[in-house]
Every structure is written in structure tokens, then in C-alpha cells.
Amino acid sequence: MWKQNKPELLAPGGDLEKLKIAVLYGADAVYIGGEEYGLRAKAKNFGLDAMAEGIKFAHDHGAKVYITANIFAHNADFNGMAEYFQAVEKIGADALIISDLGVFSVAKEAVPNMEIHVSTQANNTNYMSACMWYQLGAKRVVLARELSFQEVKQIREKIPQDMDIEAFVHGAMCISYSGRCLLSNYLSGRDANKGACSHPCRWKYHLVEETRPGEYMPIEENERGTYIYNSKDLCMIEHIPDILESGIMSLKIEGRMKTPFYVGTVVKAYRQAVDDYLKSPALYHERLPYYLEEVSKASHRDYTEGFFYQKPDGKQQIYNSNTYIRGYDFIGMVQSDSDPATGIAVVEQRNKFSVGEEIEVMPAKGDAFTMRVSKMMDEDGNFVESAPHPQQILQIFFEKPVRKFDMLRKIVLDAK
């Protein structure tokens, strides 16, 4: 009988800053992409030096780092692949995330002692394929998003006890089968299966009749058009008990292209939810409104439970917009611990704010607190009334102690 150990919270790291934020805000592991072989070509990604720094930072804080190598490879992609895998093993990466059988075979030969996780891109929808991957040497299978809790439980019962199950619990959903999109290649010439997706699922679509070119008829009546492929975002923070009971060991948050604010906000909320549940189910249920409020402070689409409870119907799509719901602005990142004597800390501005405005300080650990900006200076010590310049360095007085990587946010008054 399989027994759940403490679950892993797995967060995205689109660059070095986001990796550090993910770790400090509560992730047990971070998944990142190198400059080759990953499926987020537009992310900043990591050169080997930055990767080594990120891995050391994670390990120093008790977290792991997994490297994505989940493209569907063409012949030319294998040039230098074995050497790349050996390089990331040498700098301490904890696992490779792979979807292609050929890439898998290269990894097994080049780095036989390295842990391999089979990507969701491999369309892992049944226990037979999971067992086959295990026989080939995989340690973990990342499930397709198209599975229900019932199917997840059946897979858990049928696979080896020491094989891990990972599943997405939060973030953007893909309209295509586990992300294997052909629309992008067809419509824009950019191969989603090699990391260059143009996200045509978010575009505006109309219907055109063959004999009446140029007449664009909306597929659903709306003056702004329709977005027939645009899925709501997955959010399972209300269902931590069902997630853990199903046999999912690693709870994966989507978002290597998202902001540091998104990563920190969502990771912290799930960290608190999981820890509270493990401490006391009653405490978890009591704090559900708080977790939902917190994840909703990060930019998001309307939320859905995906396939976990039932097959989605039309209600899981967004037909009249491709915009995000944004209730809070990320306005600054603390760059140094506050001075105990003066309460002043250095902040890097991310969005405009002014003296007199009420802001929230979101620390990596502990509860957020609200304060009004009473005084602010530029880096030369001159008093300023506002911070309008991107990445402007400021000195701000804080009512409570703050630490490096704490984040500042403020309510968007005209949020919709």
C-alpha cells in the first residue's frame, strides 16, 4: 500500500531572480530551463554559470533544482546534448525533465546516475505508460492535465511504490492535449514543441464563410469578438486534501514566463495551505478564504478545477477576453534588510507609487502587513514624492522590519 510522504511544492524559475524568490517563498524544488532543449524559448532561461549559482542557492536553502529538456527533438538537436547533460550534472542539478524517448536514451547513457522525470509533454495518461517509463529508468512521471482524481488514484495503485507522481495544480491551462500544440506552427511558423509557442489559443477569432471573404462574423455574440480557445487558469488550492489523497507527491505550479511577484505570491499561498493542512485539517479549512484571496492578488484569468472532478464543458473557456484579472500591482522589491536603527531599506521600483499611498509588504515568511508610505528618498538621499522610473533605486522607511526579497504591492483601484 502506497503511503504519502510530505508532498513537494514545485515552482517555476524563469530566471535567477525568480528561482531565488521561489525558494525563499516556500518551494521545495524549482524547475528551470537552460539555453537549449527546453519548452520556454522566450523565457530568459539559464546559462551554465547562472544555473550553477541558482543550484547552489537552492541547495543552500534545502531546495532542489530540476532542468527542463523536454523538447520533441529533431536530428540536429542531438548535437552536443550528451555534453550538456554532463555539464548540468557536474554543477549539481537534481533531475532532468524529459519527454522525448530519444532524448531520454541520450540522458541514460550520458548521465546514468542522474534522476529523470518524464514531462507532461509525453502525454502520461495511464499506468501502463508510467510503468514502461519506470522500467526504462525514470524516477517520476508528470501527469497529463487531462486526468481526473479517480484516474490519478488508479495510476498510483498500479505503479511501483518508489515512483513519484507529479501534477500541475495551479496556472495556465493549454487548449492542446498536454501542451502538444500544432496551431502555433501552422498559424505563425513557430514550433510550440521546440519552445517557441506564439500562444494562438489567446488570439481573437471570427468565423469567415468561404464565398464571403472579408466578412468576419463573431462565433459568439460579443462586440469585442470571441476567444474560443482561451482556457481559464487552474487553481486547486481549495482541494489540497483531495490532491494528497490521490497520490500526487509533487504539486506543480505553472509559470516560468510569469513575474517574480506572481511566483512569490502563489508559492507562498500554496506553502501555507499545504503546511496548515498537514498541521491541522481544521486550520486549513478555516483559512481557505485567505488562501484564495492571496492567489487572486497575482495576475490571473478566472479559475477552473480543470479535469480533476469532471470533464470540462464550455464553462472552462473564456469567450470575450484574453486579458488577465489584476487586482494588485507589484511595485517594488526590497534589496537589503532594513536598518534596525532607522527602519530604512533599499527598494528597487517595479511600478509607480507615491508618498502617501497605502501599500502592502509581502514577506517571504510570515503575514503581510499594510502601511502608508511616509517618506522616500532616491539613492543619493534626496527626498522624492513619487517613484515613476522603472527599476529606480529608493530608500524607504518601513514601520516593521523587512528583509531582502520581500515584495511591495498595492491595490489597483480600477481593477476589473
Side-chain angles (χ1 to χ4, degrees):
M1 179 83 178
W2 179 84
K3 188 177 186 304
Q4 173 73 289
N5 295 316
K6 183 178 180 181
E8 172 187 89
L9 184 59
L10 177 58
D15 58 28
L16 189 56
E17 181 184 53
K18 295 174 194 173
L19 179 151
K20 292 179 178 180
I21 290 293
V23 170
L24 292 173
Y25 279 71
D28 299 300
V30 182
Y31 62 100
I32 68 174
E35 293 175 340
E36 300 179 90
Y37 311 121
L39 279 180
R40 283 295 180 268
K42 290 190 292 182
K44 291 182 181 179
N45 293 320
F46 288 74
L48 285 176
D49 289 343
M51 191 179 288
E53 181 181 345
I55 290 170
K56 183 180 186 308
F57 182 90
H59 289 176
D60 287 346
H61 290 80
K64 295 181 178 181
V65 177
Y66 308 144
I67 311 300
T68 59
N70 53 345
I71 64 166
F72 292 104
H74 290 244
N75 294 329
D77 293 318
F78 291 101
N79 297 330
M81 184 180 289
E83 291 78 10
Y84 173 73
F85 290 160
Q86 289 165 348
V88 299
E89 180 186 45
K90 186 175 181 179
I91 60 177
D94 295 284
L96 294 170
I97 304 172
I98 292 174
S99 56
D100 182 274
L101 192 57
V103 176
F104 190 100
S105 67
V106 171
K108 288 304 295 180
E109 183 173 342
V111 286
N113 297 318
M114 197 166 185
E115 195 168 291
I116 298 180
H117 302 170
V118 182
S119 171
T120 190
Q121 299 294 122
N123 307 128
N124 303 297
T125 59
N126 62 79
Y127 64 84
M128 290 295 289
S129 62
C131 288
M132 192 68 232
W133 282 115
Y134 180 82
Q135 290 176 32
L136 293 172
K139 167 62 177 171
R140 177 183 299 187
V141 63
V142 187
L143 296 182
R145 289 176 171 90
E146 295 84 40
L147 297 181
S148 67
F149 276 133
Q150 182 179 0
E151 291 173 300
V152 175
K153 290 177 182 178
Q154 291 169 345
I155 292 172
R156 178 65 271 170
E157 291 171 358
K158 298 283 188 178
I159 65 175
Q161 299 292 306
D162 60 343
M163 188 178 201
D164 296 336
I165 289 179
E166 178 183 310
F168 285 93
V169 298
H170 194 94
M173 296 282 282
C174 188
I175 191 66
S176 298
Y177 198 74
S178 285
R180 294 185 71 163
C181 181
L182 300 177
L183 276 176
S184 180
N185 225 344
Y186 180 75
L187 295 175
S188 66
R190 288 167 49 179
D191 192 345
N193 299 317
K194 295 193 75 176
C197 184
S198 58
H199 302 289
C201 53
R202 311 299 180 196
W203 297 354
K204 183 187 294 186
Y205 289 89
H206 288 78
L207 180 68
V208 178
E209 199 273 325
E210 182 179 10
T211 63
R212 289 181 282 180
E215 292 188 31
Y216 299 98
M217 295 169 280
I219 299 171
E220 180 172 300
E221 285 296 328
N222 184 293
E223 69 275 9
R224 290 159 54 189
T226 188
Y227 302 81
I228 55 175
Y229 301 124
N230 190 23
S231 174
K232 295 180 180 180
D233 284 354
L234 182 65
C235 178
M236 294 298 290
I237 203 163
E238 292 180 277
H239 306 289
I240 298 299
D242 288 345
I243 291 170
L244 302 188
E245 183 185 340
S246 72
I248 294 168
M249 174 281 219
S250 181
L251 285 60
K252 189 170 193 174
I253 296 167
E254 180 274 338
R256 279 196 288 144
M257 302 288 289
K258 301 292 178 63
T259 67
F261 176 64
Y262 174 94
V263 173
T265 301
V266 175
V267 168
K268 183 177 179 181
Y270 274 86
R271 176 79 281 152
Q272 291 175 314
V274 171
D275 289 351
D276 285 348
Y277 178 75
L278 294 176
K279 186 188 304 179
S280 165
L283 175 63
Y284 164 80
H285 289 291
E286 178 185 328
R287 285 167 54 86
L288 274 177
Y290 163 77
Y291 312 138
L292 278 171
E293 180 183 6
E294 284 300 298
V295 294
S296 295
K297 288 180 179 179
S299 179
H300 65 284
R301 302 178 185 91
D302 289 330
Y303 286 135
T304 176
E305 296 165 348
F307 291 74
F308 280 114
Y309 291 102
Q310 60 187 9
K311 289 192 180 298
D313 52 26
K315 295 177 182 178
Q316 277 68 39
Q317 299 301 106
I318 304 169
Y319 294 99
N320 59 2
S321 172
N322 67 346
T323 58
Y324 285 85
I325 300 167
R326 186 169 58 89
Y328 278 72
D329 267 341
F330 172 33
I331 60 172
M333 177 88 74
V334 177
Q335 301 295 300
S336 65
D337 294 359
S338 55
D339 186 312
T342 65
I344 291 174
V346 175
V347 170
E348 183 182 80
Q349 183 260 35
R350 298 300 174 94
N351 277 291
K352 182 181 177 181
F353 65 101
S354 304
V355 171
E357 285 191 287
E358 188 173 86
I359 66 171
E360 279 190 19
V361 179
M362 182 178 71
K365 300 288 190 294
D367 294 334
F369 66 91
T370 302
M371 59 169 267
R372 197 166 296 278
V373 181
S374 61
K375 59 183 178 181
M376 181 162 55
M377 297 173 284
D378 63 21
E379 57 185 325
D380 296 321
N382 302 308
F383 285 96
V384 294
E385 289 298 311
S386 67
H389 307 300
Q391 296 185 300
Q392 183 177 0
I393 301 300
L394 303 159
Q395 301 177 66
I396 297 175
F397 169 75
F398 288 91
E399 297 172 359
K400 297 180 180 181
V402 297
R403 304 195 65 177
K404 185 177 181 180
F405 290 114
D406 287 357
M407 288 188 270
L408 314 183
R409 61 194 182 192
K410 70 173 184 178
I411 294 176
V412 179
L413 296 178
D414 60 348
K416 298 185 179 175

